[in-house]
mmCIF file of all heavy atoms in Angstrom:
data_model
loop_
_atom_site.group_PDB
_atom_site.id
_atom_site.type_symbol
_atom_site.label_atom_id
_atom_site.label_comp_id
_atom_site.label_asym_id
_atom_site.label_seq_id
_atom_site.Cartn_x
_atom_site.Cartn_y
_atom_site.Cartn_z
ATOM 1 N N VAL A 29 0.839 -1.197 0.000
ATOM 2 C CA VAL A 29 0.000 0.000 0.000
ATOM 3 C C VAL A 29 0.876 1.250 0.000
ATOM 4 O O VAL A 29 2.014 1.224 0.459
ATOM 5 C CB VAL A 29 -0.971 0.005 1.199
ATOM 6 C CG1 VAL A 29 -1.935 -1.171 1.109
ATOM 7 C CG2 VAL A 29 -0.230 -0.014 2.523
ATOM 8 N N PRO A 30 0.351 2.371 -0.518
ATOM 9 C CA PRO A 30 1.192 3.563 -0.685
ATOM 10 C C PRO A 30 1.336 4.385 0.590
ATOM 11 O O PRO A 30 0.649 4.156 1.588
ATOM 12 C CB PRO A 30 0.433 4.350 -1.750
ATOM 13 C CG PRO A 30 -1.002 4.009 -1.510
ATOM 14 C CD PRO A 30 -0.985 2.560 -1.106
ATOM 15 N N SER A 31 2.246 5.338 0.518
ATOM 16 C CA SER A 31 2.376 6.332 1.581
ATOM 17 C C SER A 31 1.023 6.988 1.824
ATOM 18 O O SER A 31 0.257 7.236 0.890
ATOM 19 C CB SER A 31 3.401 7.377 1.154
ATOM 20 O OG SER A 31 3.485 8.416 2.095
ATOM 21 N N GLY A 32 0.721 7.246 3.094
ATOM 22 C CA GLY A 32 -0.577 7.797 3.454
ATOM 23 C C GLY A 32 -1.584 6.748 3.843
ATOM 24 O O GLY A 32 -2.701 7.077 4.258
ATOM 25 N N SER A 33 -1.195 5.474 3.720
ATOM 26 C CA SER A 33 -2.051 4.367 4.154
ATOM 27 C C SER A 33 -1.903 4.169 5.665
ATOM 28 O O SER A 33 -1.000 4.728 6.308
ATOM 29 C CB SER A 33 -1.668 3.081 3.419
ATOM 30 O OG SER A 33 -1.921 3.188 2.037
ATOM 31 N N TYR A 34 -2.795 3.353 6.213
ATOM 32 C CA TYR A 34 -2.792 3.101 7.652
ATOM 33 C C TYR A 34 -2.898 1.609 7.929
ATOM 34 O O TYR A 34 -3.418 0.841 7.104
ATOM 35 C CB TYR A 34 -3.980 3.802 8.323
ATOM 36 C CG TYR A 34 -3.872 5.304 8.369
ATOM 37 C CD1 TYR A 34 -4.240 6.089 7.275
ATOM 38 C CD2 TYR A 34 -3.408 5.945 9.508
ATOM 39 C CE1 TYR A 34 -4.150 7.463 7.314
ATOM 40 C CE2 TYR A 34 -3.315 7.337 9.561
ATOM 41 C CZ TYR A 34 -3.684 8.087 8.464
ATOM 42 O OH TYR A 34 -3.581 9.459 8.510
ATOM 43 N N VAL A 35 -2.426 1.226 9.108
ATOM 44 C CA VAL A 35 -2.657 -0.112 9.644
ATOM 45 C C VAL A 35 -3.324 0.045 11.002
ATOM 46 O O VAL A 35 -2.842 0.808 11.855
ATOM 47 C CB VAL A 35 -1.343 -0.904 9.805
ATOM 48 C CG1 VAL A 35 -1.614 -2.244 10.487
ATOM 49 C CG2 VAL A 35 -0.676 -1.131 8.454
ATOM 50 N N ALA A 36 -4.432 -0.648 11.197
ATOM 51 C CA ALA A 36 -5.074 -0.716 12.512
ATOM 52 C C ALA A 36 -4.930 -2.149 13.006
ATOM 53 O O ALA A 36 -5.219 -3.096 12.271
ATOM 54 C CB ALA A 36 -6.545 -0.326 12.420
ATOM 55 N N ILE A 37 -4.471 -2.303 14.239
ATOM 56 C CA ILE A 37 -4.233 -3.643 14.766
ATOM 57 C C ILE A 37 -4.781 -3.754 16.176
ATOM 58 O O ILE A 37 -4.794 -2.792 16.946
ATOM 59 C CB ILE A 37 -2.720 -3.976 14.748
ATOM 60 C CG1 ILE A 37 -2.489 -5.472 14.990
ATOM 61 C CG2 ILE A 37 -1.952 -3.106 15.741
ATOM 62 C CD1 ILE A 37 -1.071 -5.926 14.697
ATOM 63 N N SER A 38 -5.258 -4.948 16.494
ATOM 64 C CA SER A 38 -5.658 -5.286 17.853
ATOM 65 C C SER A 38 -5.231 -6.724 18.084
ATOM 66 O O SER A 38 -5.471 -7.590 17.236
ATOM 67 C CB SER A 38 -7.174 -5.123 18.033
ATOM 68 O OG SER A 38 -7.515 -5.140 19.399
ATOM 69 N N HIS A 39 -4.573 -6.985 19.235
ATOM 70 C CA HIS A 39 -3.934 -8.291 19.446
ATOM 71 C C HIS A 39 -3.950 -8.639 20.934
ATOM 72 O O HIS A 39 -3.636 -7.794 21.765
ATOM 73 C CB HIS A 39 -2.484 -8.219 18.937
ATOM 74 C CG HIS A 39 -1.818 -9.544 18.770
ATOM 75 N ND1 HIS A 39 -1.551 -10.382 19.844
ATOM 76 C CD2 HIS A 39 -1.345 -10.179 17.669
ATOM 77 C CE1 HIS A 39 -0.947 -11.471 19.392
ATOM 78 N NE2 HIS A 39 -0.816 -11.374 18.074
ATOM 79 N N PRO A 40 -4.298 -9.880 21.294
ATOM 80 C CA PRO A 40 -4.337 -10.269 22.703
ATOM 81 C C PRO A 40 -2.948 -10.285 23.328
ATOM 82 O O PRO A 40 -1.966 -10.668 22.690
ATOM 83 C CB PRO A 40 -4.964 -11.656 22.687
ATOM 84 C CG PRO A 40 -4.720 -12.173 21.318
ATOM 85 C CD PRO A 40 -4.734 -10.985 20.417
ATOM 86 N N ALA A 41 -2.905 -9.891 24.587
ATOM 87 C CA ALA A 41 -1.652 -9.612 25.280
ATOM 88 C C ALA A 41 -1.185 -10.755 26.174
ATOM 89 O O ALA A 41 -1.992 -11.485 26.755
ATOM 90 C CB ALA A 41 -1.812 -8.355 26.126
ATOM 91 N N THR A 42 0.142 -10.859 26.287
ATOM 92 C CA THR A 42 0.727 -11.719 27.321
ATOM 93 C C THR A 42 0.957 -10.951 28.614
ATOM 94 O O THR A 42 1.133 -11.563 29.676
ATOM 95 C CB THR A 42 2.097 -12.273 26.880
ATOM 96 O OG1 THR A 42 2.976 -11.167 26.589
ATOM 97 C CG2 THR A 42 1.971 -13.159 25.664
ATOM 98 N N ASP A 43 0.969 -9.617 28.526
ATOM 99 C CA ASP A 43 1.376 -8.793 29.661
ATOM 100 C C ASP A 43 0.234 -7.956 30.241
ATOM 101 O O ASP A 43 0.457 -6.932 30.865
ATOM 102 C CB ASP A 43 2.566 -7.905 29.276
ATOM 103 C CG ASP A 43 2.418 -7.254 27.899
ATOM 104 O OD1 ASP A 43 1.379 -7.462 27.244
ATOM 105 O OD2 ASP A 43 3.345 -6.550 27.486
ATOM 106 N N ILE A 44 -0.991 -8.398 30.002
ATOM 107 C CA ILE A 44 -2.169 -7.874 30.707
ATOM 108 C C ILE A 44 -2.867 -9.090 31.297
ATOM 109 O O ILE A 44 -3.200 -10.025 30.571
ATOM 110 C CB ILE A 44 -3.133 -7.129 29.761
ATOM 111 C CG1 ILE A 44 -2.437 -5.972 29.040
ATOM 112 C CG2 ILE A 44 -4.346 -6.606 30.528
ATOM 113 C CD1 ILE A 44 -3.296 -5.296 27.978
ATOM 114 N N GLN A 45 -3.083 -9.084 32.603
ATOM 115 C CA GLN A 45 -3.667 -10.250 33.279
ATOM 116 C C GLN A 45 -2.982 -11.534 32.789
ATOM 117 O O GLN A 45 -3.641 -12.481 32.325
ATOM 118 C CB GLN A 45 -5.173 -10.323 33.048
ATOM 119 C CG GLN A 45 -5.953 -9.134 33.593
ATOM 120 C CD GLN A 45 -7.447 -9.381 33.612
ATOM 121 O OE1 GLN A 45 -7.919 -10.449 34.016
ATOM 122 N NE2 GLN A 45 -8.220 -8.392 33.194
ATOM 123 N N ALA A 46 -1.679 -11.555 32.892
ATOM 124 C CA ALA A 46 -0.857 -12.576 32.243
ATOM 125 C C ALA A 46 -1.287 -14.005 32.575
ATOM 126 O O ALA A 46 -1.426 -14.854 31.674
ATOM 127 C CB ALA A 46 0.611 -12.371 32.605
ATOM 128 N N ALA A 47 -1.475 -14.312 33.855
ATOM 129 C CA ALA A 47 -1.799 -15.689 34.240
ATOM 130 C C ALA A 47 -3.161 -16.095 33.695
ATOM 131 O O ALA A 47 -3.322 -17.206 33.165
ATOM 132 C CB ALA A 47 -1.757 -15.833 35.756
ATOM 133 N N ARG A 48 -4.136 -15.217 33.822
ATOM 134 C CA ARG A 48 -5.477 -15.530 33.321
ATOM 135 C C ARG A 48 -5.469 -15.670 31.796
ATOM 136 O O ARG A 48 -6.134 -16.552 31.240
ATOM 137 C CB ARG A 48 -6.471 -14.445 33.742
ATOM 138 C CG ARG A 48 -6.802 -14.450 35.236
ATOM 139 C CD ARG A 48 -7.881 -13.426 35.543
ATOM 140 N NE ARG A 48 -8.244 -13.408 36.945
ATOM 141 C CZ ARG A 48 -9.144 -14.223 37.495
ATOM 142 N NH1 ARG A 48 -9.765 -15.121 36.734
ATOM 143 N NH2 ARG A 48 -9.425 -14.159 38.787
ATOM 144 N N MET A 49 -4.740 -14.804 31.130
ATOM 145 C CA MET A 49 -4.673 -14.887 29.669
ATOM 146 C C MET A 49 -4.038 -16.197 29.217
ATOM 147 O O MET A 49 -4.488 -16.826 28.253
ATOM 148 C CB MET A 49 -3.877 -13.701 29.116
ATOM 149 C CG MET A 49 -4.656 -12.395 29.101
ATOM 150 S SD MET A 49 -6.035 -12.412 27.905
ATOM 151 C CE MET A 49 -5.133 -12.220 26.364
ATOM 152 N N ALA A 50 -2.996 -16.607 29.903
ATOM 153 C CA ALA A 50 -2.325 -17.856 29.534
ATOM 154 C C ALA A 50 -3.265 -19.044 29.700
ATOM 155 O O ALA A 50 -3.328 -19.939 28.843
ATOM 156 C CB ALA A 50 -1.064 -18.042 30.359
ATOM 157 N N THR A 51 -4.016 -19.062 30.801
ATOM 158 C CA THR A 51 -4.974 -20.147 31.030
ATOM 159 C C THR A 51 -6.075 -20.124 29.988
ATOM 160 O O THR A 51 -6.472 -21.167 29.447
ATOM 161 C CB THR A 51 -5.571 -20.035 32.440
ATOM 162 O OG1 THR A 51 -4.521 -20.090 33.405
ATOM 163 C CG2 THR A 51 -6.555 -21.161 32.700
ATOM 164 N N MET A 52 -6.572 -18.936 29.689
ATOM 165 C CA MET A 52 -7.614 -18.799 28.670
ATOM 166 C C MET A 52 -7.139 -19.339 27.327
ATOM 167 O O MET A 52 -7.835 -20.112 26.664
ATOM 168 C CB MET A 52 -8.005 -17.321 28.547
ATOM 169 C CG MET A 52 -9.035 -17.010 27.472
ATOM 170 S SD MET A 52 -8.343 -16.812 25.789
ATOM 171 C CE MET A 52 -7.248 -15.408 26.038
ATOM 172 N N ALA A 53 -5.937 -18.941 26.923
ATOM 173 C CA ALA A 53 -5.408 -19.387 25.636
ATOM 174 C C ALA A 53 -5.228 -20.900 25.609
ATOM 175 O O ALA A 53 -5.545 -21.557 24.606
ATOM 176 C CB ALA A 53 -4.089 -18.685 25.339
ATOM 177 N N ASP A 54 -4.738 -21.466 26.709
ATOM 178 C CA ASP A 54 -4.555 -22.921 26.771
ATOM 179 C C ASP A 54 -5.888 -23.643 26.594
ATOM 180 O O ASP A 54 -5.974 -24.648 25.864
ATOM 181 C CB ASP A 54 -3.934 -23.320 28.110
ATOM 182 C CG ASP A 54 -2.458 -22.965 28.197
ATOM 183 O OD1 ASP A 54 -1.845 -22.689 27.146
ATOM 184 O OD2 ASP A 54 -1.914 -22.967 29.326
#
């Protein structure tokens, strides 16, 4: 894509509520 384009991203974290997230993912 050309200059002036954008990327929007959203991604699950390892470093927010780490233990709960790890269990959820498992």
Side-chain angles (χ1 to χ4, degrees):
V29 297
S31 175
S33 295
Y34 290 83
V35 175
I37 193 168
S38 194
H39 194 295
T42 58
D43 44 2
I44 302 174
Q45 298 192 45
R48 289 185 179 275
M49 283 292 285
T51 301
M52 177 277 299
D54 286 344

